[in-house]
Amino acid sequence: MRTKHLVAIKDLSTEEILEIFHWARKLKGRWAQGIRERALEGKVVGMIFEKSSMRTRVSFEVAVLQLSGHSIYLDRDSIGLGVRETIKDVARVMSRYVDGIVVRTFEHHVVKDLARYSTVPVINGLSDYLHPCQGLSDLFTIQERFGSLEGLRVAFVGDGNNVARSLATACVKLGVHFAIASPAGYVLDAPFVSRLQKLAARTGASTRHLRDPVKAVRGANVIYTDVWTSMGQEDEAEQRRKAFSRYRVTRELVSAAGNGAVVMHCLPAHRGDEITDEVMDGPFSIVYEQAENRLHVQKAILRLLLAPPASSGPAVSPSAGSTPSVRDPDEPTER
Ligand code: CP
Ligand code: NVA
């Protein structure tokens, strides 16, 4: 991989995404066969988590362990990022101790600043703006499920949030059609939409931004949702519950998609709000396969960034090989 850090999916070329998927498939298969990798032997990953996490924390810690490395968990209070000392100093000093940094934080600029001053790879484990490890794992899961990404349609129902942005970028980079239905006031931000549309024009993917969840899911292969209130927005929960009441993934909404649609959710889910129990536990739900793949995709990311294989050239995926290569040097910087 030419990219040193994983801050945003927009920084990855299509080939780099396919290379991550190639390694995720390979490492998943090898682990299942009982083959143990030692790629991170002697390496240490610092894990800075300023917000709660189950999947990201556990899957990264297990990923590092399964690759024979070691991780150190640092919570908000113990490190005081930008409070006890500057982000620049944390990045410069930690780079002298560890071989990679995973960070989950609030403001997106914290991830960017860490990456700017760190001499070791920085991986974004979620910011208020983006969740790239989630978006990559999700497209890996979709490819695994359908065998090919070609011609697929993904519909996101809900808030134009961090998960929606990373999912949209991953879809568009891989030529997958993306639709989103959100209530007024909770749509994807205009600068992001403009970048997404430029990118889509180059990859042949389409993007649709709608109010009506039924229109968004019609003909979709994947229906995706996330919580109405993200971490850090708890004060807005009541207001959001009202605004999003029509944006619930129910059995009726799944039926509107047509045959064969699957349902995804990054989790944690607020059952009864954005998704019903019946859908979460029903036959169309692939949420647990999706959660499992966080582990395999993050192992691939760690492998490629922290212990790049000698011949880590672009991997060719037969299923997405026709998608043109896209890198975005001209994109404005995200918040
Ligand atoms: N999907 C996800 O990132 O879950 P956690 O918040 O539990 O890490
Ligand atoms: N949008 C959610 C995702 C959690 C994985 C949040 O930021 O809280």
Side-chain angles (χ1 to χ4, degrees):
M1 296 232 296
R2 281 167 298 182
T3 313
K4 182 177 169 61
H5 306 288
L6 176 52
V7 173
I9 295 175
K10 76 173 178 65
D11 301 332
L12 301 175
S13 68
T14 301
E15 281 85 359
E16 285 172 328
I17 297 176
L18 295 177
E19 190 182 9
I20 292 169
F21 290 2
H22 167 78
W23 274 91
R25 250 190 318 275
K26 182 166 153 172
L27 291 170
K28 185 174 180 176
R30 285 166 73 88
W31 185 261
Q33 286 164 26
I35 301 168
R36 301 299 176 244
E37 307 279 334
R38 313 200 69 81
L40 294 190
E41 191 158 31
K43 292 193 191 282
V44 178
V45 179
M47 312 244 298
I48 304 172
F49 276 66
E50 298 199 295
K51 287 178 174 174
S52 306
S53 173
M54 190 270 269
R55 275 146 292 274
T56 307
R57 177 183 175 178
V58 177
S59 57
F60 261 113
E61 289 201 16
V62 172
V64 172
L65 271 174
Q66 289 190 357
L67 293 171
S68 308
H70 184 82
S71 59
I72 301 174
Y73 180 78
L74 298 154
D75 66 19
R76 188 182 174 87
D77 292 338
S78 66
I79 193 159
L81 189 60
V83 177
R84 188 164 174 265
E85 58 187 319
T86 62
I87 297 169
K88 189 199 288 192
D89 285 342
V90 170
R92 285 180 173 163
V93 175
M94 272 188 71
S95 295
R96 290 170 182 247
Y97 300 143
V98 300
D99 301 279
I101 298 170
V102 175
V103 58
R104 167 167 287 201
T105 188
F106 291 84
E107 291 175 66
H108 187 62
H109 79 83
V110 172
V111 184
K112 293 206 309 186
D113 289 353
L114 269 178
R116 180 166 171 209
Y117 294 108
S118 167
T119 57
V120 299
V122 170
I123 299 170
N124 182 356
L126 180 147
S127 67
D128 287 345
Y129 199 67
L130 296 173
H131 197 359
C133 294
Q134 184 72 56
L136 291 170
S137 296
D138 294 340
L139 267 291
F140 176 78
T141 302
I142 295 169
Q143 189 179 52
E144 194 177 53
R145 175 73 182 202
F146 289 93
S148 163
L149 292 173
E150 192 136 13
L152 292 185
R153 299 186 168 274
V154 172
F156 186 97
V157 175
D159 191 17
N161 64 12
N162 45 8
V163 169
R165 285 190 200 92
S166 290
L167 180 73
T169 309
C171 282
V172 165
K173 284 259 177 182
L174 294 168
V176 171
H177 304 294
F178 178 79
I180 180 166
S182 312
Y186 299 96
V187 299
L188 289 169
D189 59 288
F192 176 81
V193 171
S194 150
R195 288 197 298 275
L196 190 70
Q197 284 170 343
K198 275 192 211 144
L199 188 57
R202 288 188 269 158
T203 62
S206 63
T207 63
R208 291 185 307 139
H209 304 265
L210 308 156
R211 281 278 176 274
D212 184 355
V214 176
K215 279 192 188 144
V217 304
R218 211 167 271 146
N221 305 99
V222 176
I223 301 172
Y224 197 119
T225 193
D226 183 16
V227 290
W228 295 336
T229 300
S230 287
M231 288 180 278
Q233 300 171 334
E234 289 78 8
D235 291 350
E236 302 170 19
E238 262 327 293
Q239 177 191 330
R240 284 173 169 268
R241 180 164 280 128
K242 284 185 199 128
F244 283 98
S245 60
R246 269 193 334 116
Y247 294 80
R248 176 173 294 127
V249 178
T250 58
R251 189 162 53 83
E252 292 69 35
L253 191 67
V254 177
S255 317
N259 283 338
V262 297
V263 175
M264 298 178 74
H265 191 310
C266 57
L267 307 181
H270 294 162
R271 286 166 174 259
D273 281 352
E274 75 278 358
I275 191 164
T276 59
D277 278 328
E278 189 182 23
V279 173
M280 269 283 284
D281 301 326
F284 314 114
S285 165
I286 57 166
V287 299
Y288 303 114
E289 289 88 332
Q290 176 186 3
E292 178 188 329
N293 280 333
R294 294 288 305 279
L295 169 64
H296 307 298
V297 170
Q298 287 160 195
K299 275 170 83 172
I301 293 167
L302 288 165
R303 177 77 167 89
L304 289 165
L305 292 181
L306 273 64
S311 61
S312 102
V316 178
S317 157
S319 51
S322 58
T323 308
S325 160
V326 178
R327 191 175 262 279
D328 312 293
D330 55 346
E331 283 183 24
T333 322
E334 272 149 3
R335 291 185 301 202

